[in-house]
């Protein structure tokens, strides 16, 4: 019932940062960039190899601020309102620091497309060499996002750090178990989920996805939501390994993702392989043809 696995480990930092909503505000964009870089340095000082930020870490454009019918009504977004050069310069500075610190950095941002196409809502994966190695684009958007603001993505994304395979999800995708199941089939060790906040008990859902798929889930949220659901990392057994403070402060929580640890070994070695075997049709040869099985009203 077990499958051979080479021991793997990676040190992950999950962050919570204040999320600002006006991409026209140059100073706010600059301040967000400074806060992200400060937390990158803190994560690096704690030995992290990868740091994971929430949706809107630089800016989460408000549907009212962007609306051509705003500020009191939601309508098509006017992306000319975004200070693109400032946003791009902050992301470039983050990439440069990732190279300097030798720190993989997963950072959310709006990804501009060719006009007249709407942008993607994305997670950039920046390597420890400071280059964008891949990008995840949110696929299952909210009704407002897909109606007025963004172009949806089309595919899952995986990448590896120190032998550990990561997958990315974003926005409201915590509500779609099929996306988490898809990453299990892609053999990821950890899903990085970034959100700006979503209805429902996000923390409980993160624990559920980690448990039923037997992998780690990193939940990164804005610091504004930390009182109810601070950022943290769930182990494959469903337990929280570490969480950021619930006091609204920008912070990181750093953990070792180690598949030989007590929080992971049983789930990774036994539960996940057994579920795969069960889904592959192991029960077929044990099924029987019996009138007492087929008759649903058979008496005791």
């Amino acid at each position: 019932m077990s499958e051979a696995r080479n021991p793997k480990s990676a040190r992950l930092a999950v962050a919570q940062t204040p999320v600002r909503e006006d991409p026209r505000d140059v100073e706010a964009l600059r301040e967000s960039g400074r806060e992200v870089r400060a937390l990158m340095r803190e994560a690096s000082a704690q030995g992290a190899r990868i740091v994971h930020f929430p949706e809107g870490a630089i800016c989460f454009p408000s549907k009212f601020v962007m609306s051509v019918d705003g500020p009191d009504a939601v309508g098509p977004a006017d992306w000319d309102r975004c200070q693109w050069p400032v946003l791009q310069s902050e992301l470039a500075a983050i990439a440069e620091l990732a190279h300097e610190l030798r720190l993989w950095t997963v950072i959310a941002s709006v990804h501009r497309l060719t006009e007249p196409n709407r942008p993607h809502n994305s997670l950039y994966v920046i390597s420890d060499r400071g280059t964008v190695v891949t990008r995840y684009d949110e696929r299952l958007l909210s009704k407002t996002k897909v109606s007025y603001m963004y172009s949806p993505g089309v595919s899952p994304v995986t990448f590896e750090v120190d032998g550990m395979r990561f997958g990315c999800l974003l926005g409201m995708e915590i509500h779609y178990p099929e996306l988490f199941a898809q990453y299990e089939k892609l053999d990821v060790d950890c899903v990085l989920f970034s959100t700006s906040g979503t209805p429902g008990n996000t923390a409980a859902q993160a624990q559920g996805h980690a448990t039923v798929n037997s992998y780690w889930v990193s939940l990164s949220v804005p610091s504004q939501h930390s009182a109810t659901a601070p950022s943290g990392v769930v182990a494959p057994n469903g337990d929280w390994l570490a969480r950021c403070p619930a006091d609204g402060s920008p912070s990181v929580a750093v953990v070792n993702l180690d598949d030989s640890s007590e929080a992971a070994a049983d789930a990774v070695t036994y539960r996940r392989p057994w579920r795969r075997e069960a889904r592959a049709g192991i029960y077929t040869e044990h099924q029987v043809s019996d009138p007492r099985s087929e008759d649903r009203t058979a008496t005791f």
Side-chain angles (χ1 to χ4, degrees):
M1 286 165 48
S2 64
E3 64 181 25
R5 297 180 67 94
N6 294 321
K8 294 182 288 186
S9 66
R11 193 157 171 81
L12 166 71
V14 60
Q16 60 187 31
T17 61
V19 169
R20 299 169 174 88
E21 296 188 333
D22 190 346
R24 304 168 301 181
D25 187 335
V26 171
E27 182 50 37
L29 295 177
R30 298 289 191 202
E31 182 61 22
S32 290
R34 287 191 289 267
E35 289 169 345
V36 165
R37 291 188 289 276
L39 291 178
M40 290 172 66
R41 292 185 179 95
E42 183 177 336
S44 178
Q46 294 187 46
R49 285 282 289 133
I50 176 171
V51 61
H52 168 215
F53 286 94
E55 180 183 28
I58 303 298
C59 183
F60 184 67
S62 164
K63 58 188 177 183
F64 295 106
V65 169
M66 302 305 291
S67 173
V68 296
D69 300 324
D72 299 318
V74 178
D78 177 8
W79 285 103
D80 287 337
R81 299 177 182 182
C82 181
Q83 289 288 335
W84 291 107
V86 179
L87 178 62
Q88 290 161 349
S89 69
E90 291 305 313
L91 291 169
I94 288 166
E96 182 177 351
L97 183 60
H99 183 206
E100 177 185 329
L101 298 175
R102 304 295 290 179
L103 178 68
W104 286 73
T105 302
V106 180
I107 183 82
S109 187
V110 180
H111 180 72
R112 197 174 193 178
L113 300 182
T114 307
E115 293 184 1
N117 296 319
R118 296 173 184 161
H120 290 312
N121 185 39
S122 303
L123 280 171
Y124 290 109
V125 178
I126 303 170
S127 77
D128 57 0
R129 296 185 176 184
T131 60
V132 176
V133 294
T134 192
R135 187 191 71 250
Y136 177 72
D137 306 318
E138 186 181 5
R139 291 174 284 169
L140 297 184
L141 302 157
S142 70
K143 187 172 183 179
T144 296
K145 280 180 175 178
V146 75
S147 298
Y148 300 118
M149 300 187 74
Y150 298 105
S151 298
V154 296
S155 63
V157 162
T158 65
F159 65 98
E160 292 191 9
V161 177
D162 297 344
M164 302 285 284
R165 180 174 293 181
F166 294 85
C168 299
L169 291 173
L170 185 59
M172 293 187 68
E173 293 180 331
I174 192 81
H175 300 309
Y176 297 94
E178 63 270 28
L179 298 184
F180 287 84
Q182 182 182 44
Y183 277 123
E184 193 281 332
K185 291 179 180 178
L186 292 173
D187 206 29
V188 304
D189 299 293
C190 178
V191 168
L192 307 176
F193 172 66
S194 298
T195 185
S196 63
T198 183
N201 192 329
T202 305
Q205 290 182 81
Q207 288 182 282
H209 292 310
T211 304
V212 301
N213 291 293
S214 295
Y215 54 43
W216 288 268
V217 172
S218 178
L219 171 67
S220 185
V221 303
S223 56
Q224 292 98 314
H225 298 304
S226 66
T228 55
S231 293
V233 179
V234 187
N237 66 358
D239 292 340
W240 288 101
L241 288 180
R243 304 185 80 174
C244 290
D247 60 4
S249 62
S251 57
V252 293
V254 183
V255 300
N256 288 322
L257 308 183
D258 182 350
D259 63 7
S260 65
S261 67
E262 182 178 351
D266 282 350
V268 170
T269 305
Y270 298 107
R271 298 171 202 165
R272 187 170 180 178
W274 170 244
R275 281 195 291 267
R276 289 179 173 181
E277 193 172 350
R279 290 169 176 147
I282 192 175
Y283 301 105
T284 302
E285 63 181 283
H286 299 285
Q287 292 170 349
V288 298
S289 177
D290 186 316
R292 287 187 57 78
S293 173
E294 296 163 5
D295 183 359
R296 302 292 178 185
T297 63
T299 59
F300 306 114

